[in-house]
Amino acid sequence: MERPVNDPHIGELLLAMNIMGFERLDDGSFAPLDAVPAWFRAICPETDAALFLPDARFPALRDFLKEAGAWWRRSAASRLESPLWMERDPSGAALTLKASAVTCGARHLLLIEQRECLEKDALRQQFDAITAKLRDALHALEHERKTRKQIARK
């Protein structure tokens, strides 16, 4: 199957967003869009091949890709998202990934994004919120302690 002609702007946009993009071909294989983020190349160096079978490389995507195939046939206007799954890079670091099936005109796209940064941000926000609550509780306890001390002196 011939590799589709890529719009360089789509590749630039996906690379700027740190997303790996593929176009689904008629035979069910996928062709990578022009730009490949470094994190994806690290876990999947065979990405430069003309055809790519994501369900063979990422078994966690098998059920999602079956569902996406039916979804693409309906030409839905929104997007279908996979559950999060984990992959390890060559250094052993865990990457949290999420796939999306998207229809863009007549093109069926599979987008894979690394969610690590988003999760770290969410964890940082939770940590900051918990820290603020603890700080407020400590201030309230200190205020109560001082108040009780003043009452006891009277």
Side-chain angles (χ1 to χ4, degrees):
M1 173 122 316
E2 186 175 314
R3 188 174 177 158
V5 176
N6 290 320
D7 178 339
H9 300 295
I10 291 174
E12 289 173 17
L13 174 65
L14 293 176
L15 189 59
M17 295 178 70
N18 207 22
I19 295 173
M20 180 62 209
F22 296 93
E23 182 168 359
R24 184 175 186 271
L25 306 177
D26 293 337
D27 66 357
S29 64
F30 290 80
L33 298 177
D34 289 331
V36 179
W39 65 265
F40 193 86
R41 186 176 305 284
I43 63 170
C44 198
E46 68 273 19
T47 304
D48 289 330
L51 301 179
F52 183 71
L53 300 172
D55 55 341
R57 175 60 183 85
F58 304 120
L61 283 182
R62 286 187 183 135
D63 290 338
F64 173 73
L65 288 173
K66 287 178 189 173
E67 185 180 351
W71 185 84
W72 279 316
R73 284 189 292 280
R74 291 191 306 268
S75 297
S78 59
R79 75 179 184 174
L80 179 67
E81 293 184 342
S82 77
L84 297 175
W85 84 96
M86 303 288 286
E87 294 290 331
R88 297 227 175 255
D89 70 11
S91 73
L95 302 177
T96 303
L97 304 177
K98 185 170 200 156
S100 297
V102 179
T103 299
C104 185
R107 298 172 78 174
H108 299 158
L109 305 179
L110 175 66
L111 308 176
I112 300 176
E113 60 184 304
Q114 180 186 7
R115 302 294 298 243
E116 180 181 9
C117 295
L118 298 176
E119 288 182 12
K120 282 183 178 177
D121 289 344
L123 288 173
R124 171 57 75 187
Q125 288 174 353
Q126 289 175 350
F127 176 79
D128 290 345
I130 290 169
T131 302
K133 286 179 183 178
L134 286 172
R135 190 178 315 112
D136 292 345
L138 286 172
H139 287 300
L141 284 172
E142 182 63 24
H143 178 72
E144 185 177 333
R145 187 185 66 76
K146 286 179 182 178
T147 302
R148 286 182 185 214
K149 197 174 187 180
Q150 288 175 351
I151 292 173
R153 286 184 188 162
K154 292 181 180 182

